[in-house]
Amino acid sequence: MARKGRDFIARHGETVFNAARRLQGDHAHTPLTRAGFAQADEMGRALRDRLGARPALTLWASDTERALQTLAVIAEHLDLDWHDARRDGRLTEIAMGGWGGRYYADLVDEVGPVVVAGGLLRPAPDGETYAQIATRVAGWLADTDDDPGDRLVVMHGISSRVLRGIMTRQDSHPEFGTPIADGLPQGSVVMIENRGECVIHTGTGRAPA
């Protein structure tokens, strides 16, 4: 049975790691750049135009700095209290193990392509698999299925694609074996309702990872 209410799923804005072309993964403290804050402003304006002031939204975010900063800006546009937001580590980005924090160029020279077909990140040998991401985000979905009404979820590029894929019943990816939705640039927002998805705002940030 589909969850009652709409889910607005947002990808955080550009960070200092993104700007430097470093592989971010599940690093917790990578703050937004000025461009990232501008992208958060754009998402806030788009959601304000659609939902108006003080909409009845349950606020969720991964417990990373970049997601929480993005949510703070969006919440200000919506006249909502950031302090009411709920955090969950299951919404964080794919863990990249020993590849996390490395410069893309250096890593590619060492191991070959890191971004593969469809704009997905190649899992690191000691990192997280897509099936493991699916397990944790599906667990979050099951535990929050009774959230009342609409909600806003601020998270990450790869993990949001898996979450969206599960919510919209996508076919399993032929290589990674789990539903994965199409990628969107940083600063994008989608709305999922009754397992259907539409793009509310397309960001101007980097895509896909």
Side-chain angles (χ1 to χ4, degrees):
M1 184 176 180
R3 195 186 78 80
K4 296 178 181 179
R6 299 173 294 178
D7 287 291
F8 296 90
I9 301 176
R11 184 180 176 190
H12 67 77
E14 182 192 77
T15 73
V16 294
F17 267 48
N18 302 137
R21 300 302 296 148
R22 293 178 66 181
L23 189 58
Q24 197 158 216
D26 60 341
H27 274 250
H29 302 300
T30 54
L32 300 183
T33 61
R34 286 184 296 172
F37 280 110
Q39 291 156 13
D41 269 322
E42 292 167 1
M43 288 189 283
R45 284 191 288 267
L47 286 167
R48 174 69 175 245
D49 288 345
R50 175 171 285 267
L51 301 173
R54 302 189 66 80
L57 277 177
T58 302
L59 302 178
W60 280 97
S62 89
D63 54 2
T64 61
E65 183 175 12
R66 57 197 186 272
L68 293 167
Q69 285 182 325
T70 300
L71 178 58
V73 174
I74 295 173
E76 185 175 352
H77 279 277
L78 296 175
D79 292 335
L80 295 176
D81 188 350
W82 177 89
H83 296 91
D84 290 336
R86 305 177 187 181
R87 310 177 188 186
D88 199 303
R90 291 174 293 183
L91 299 172
T92 197
E93 185 56 300
I94 181 173
M96 294 304 294
W99 291 0
R102 298 279 306 276
Y103 287 97
Y104 278 91
D106 292 344
L107 193 56
V108 168
D109 287 344
E110 183 179 316
V111 304
V114 177
V115 179
V116 297
L120 294 166
L121 285 175
R122 172 183 159 194
D126 61 343
E128 190 175 27
T129 67
Y130 283 83
Q132 288 171 324
I133 299 171
T135 296
R136 62 174 163 87
V137 299
W140 174 82
L141 277 173
D143 289 347
T144 62
D145 191 57
D146 58 354
D147 277 353
D150 297 341
R151 61 187 177 186
L152 170 65
V153 185
V154 181
M155 49 190 303
H156 307 269
I158 297 297
S159 59
S160 69
R161 291 181 65 174
V162 176
L163 177 67
R164 291 164 46 221
I166 291 171
M167 294 178 73
T168 58
R169 303 286 181 89
Q170 300 282 318
D171 292 334
S172 289
H173 189 277
E175 180 178 358
F176 299 126
T178 193
I180 302 174
D182 291 340
L184 290 167
Q186 288 166 333
S188 297
V189 187
V190 303
M191 182 183 75
I192 296 177
E193 184 177 19
N194 296 323
R195 302 193 183 105
E197 178 181 275
C198 66
V199 178
I200 300 301
H201 177 74
T202 301
T204 58
R206 298 176 188 274

